[in-house]
Amino acid sequence: DAGVIQSPRHEVTEMGQEVTLRCKPISGHNSLFWYRQTMMRGLELLIYFNNNVPIDDSGMPEDRFSAKMPNASFSTLKIQPSEPRDSAVYFCASTSGGSGANVLTFGAGSRLTVL
Amino acid sequence: KQEVTQIPAALSVPEGENLVLNCSFTDSAIYNLQWFRQDPGKGLTSLLLIQSSQREQTSGRLNASLDKSSGRSTLYIAASQPGDSATYLCAVIMTGNQFYFGTGTSLTVIP
């Protein structure tokens, strides 16, 4: 298995531009998470999907952030318009089941820099 | 709300030493607990998953223990090596797939 695949690995953009981050979870995993990691705040949960349905989006900072999971093998996190404070590493993670009984597997992350 | 604490934030040890990393949590009604390793610029790699009914899990030189009643977990690393240098994070898992992460312990093993 190729693991959780994220793209792009690095993104540098200017304030006000739209950013789209992509994630392919491990085949057979039905739970998907988007996290953001910064030095100041550590790892923060943005949104959690189970069976392609958003279950918890309370961590999404504001309306500028949106996430979709159109099918079991693909998810996107979009920021529009982007701001310098959105600079962070964004991780996607997946697991099977909806109860936390199984290992959570992370992707390599997408490092976003907003100038 | 569950709060997860890892102390110390950083630890430096000479190669070959045995060491213990600590993870404490405020709500003992956890489902599972998972330990991760993160290398600089990389994602998190799962090391061990302990079910709430278990008291410990072992993988190679790593041993993780769980004491739900006292709200603590420890990760024991035997015979540390420079390759063990990384940040170690614990995650407490509550029902409904809620993961609560600690801020991690940055470990440096000096050759």
Side-chain angles (χ1 to χ4, degrees):
Chain A
D1 196 321
V4 177
I5 300 172
Q6 292 187 246
S7 65
R9 289 295 315 278
H10 302 273
E11 174 96 3
V12 180
T13 191
E14 293 191 345
M15 184 173 64
Q17 296 298 305
E18 177 178 295
V19 173
T20 300
L21 307 179
R22 297 173 177 79
C23 175
K24 176 179 169 54
I26 290 175
S27 178
H29 283 190
N30 63 341
S31 293
L32 183 141
F33 302 77
W34 282 100
Y35 287 92
R36 176 170 68 178
Q37 187 177 42
T38 61
M39 289 292 291
M40 290 293 293
R41 295 203 294 266
L43 203 59
E44 302 174 280
L45 176 66
L46 299 177
I47 189 167
Y48 157 48
F49 291 89
N50 185 249
N51 292 323
N52 312 337
V53 176
I55 302 299
D56 181 1
D57 65 355
S58 59
M60 295 287 265
E62 48 202 90
D63 291 346
R64 298 185 297 107
F65 284 69
S66 63
K68 293 182 179 179
M69 192 162 186
N71 57 63
S73 59
F74 184 66
S75 177
T76 59
L77 178 68
K78 186 174 294 187
I79 307 172
Q80 166 63 19
S82 58
E83 296 182 3
R85 61 191 167 121
D86 301 330
S87 297
V89 182
Y90 291 81
F91 288 106
C92 176
S94 70
T95 186
S96 56
S99 61
N102 300 304
V103 168
L104 184 64
T105 303
F106 279 76
S110 294
R111 181 175 295 276
L112 173 65
T113 302
V114 183
L115 304 175
Chain B
K1 184 190 172 190
Q2 179 72 271
E3 291 185 9
V4 182
T5 304
Q6 292 185 250
I7 295 173
L11 181 64
S12 184
V13 300
E15 181 177 1
E17 193 165 294
N18 302 326
L19 60 102
V20 174
L21 305 180
N22 298 297
C23 172
S24 60
F25 46 93
T26 54
D27 185 347
S28 63
I30 70 171
Y31 192 76
N32 292 323
L33 186 143
Q34 194 169 350
W35 280 93
F36 294 87
R37 166 187 174 137
Q38 186 174 28
D39 293 285
K42 301 290 177 70
L44 282 70
T45 300
S46 179
L47 297 173
L48 290 164
L49 172 71
I50 309 178
Q51 311 277 357
S52 61
S53 58
Q54 298 173 318
R55 293 194 64 86
E56 65 178 67
Q57 277 281 7
T58 298
S59 176
R61 296 183 293 110
L62 305 180
N63 176 274
S65 68
L66 174 62
D67 184 344
K68 281 179 54 177
S69 61
S70 66
R72 291 186 61 188
S73 176
T74 61
L75 180 66
Y76 174 83
I77 302 177
S80 59
Q81 303 171 357
D84 294 331
S85 298
T87 297
Y88 291 81
L89 296 94
C90 67
V92 168
I93 307 158
M94 310 296 285
T95 56
N97 246 355
Q98 298 178 74
F99 286 76
Y100 293 89
F101 282 84
T103 51
T105 295
S106 177
L107 172 66
T108 301
V109 180
I110 303 166

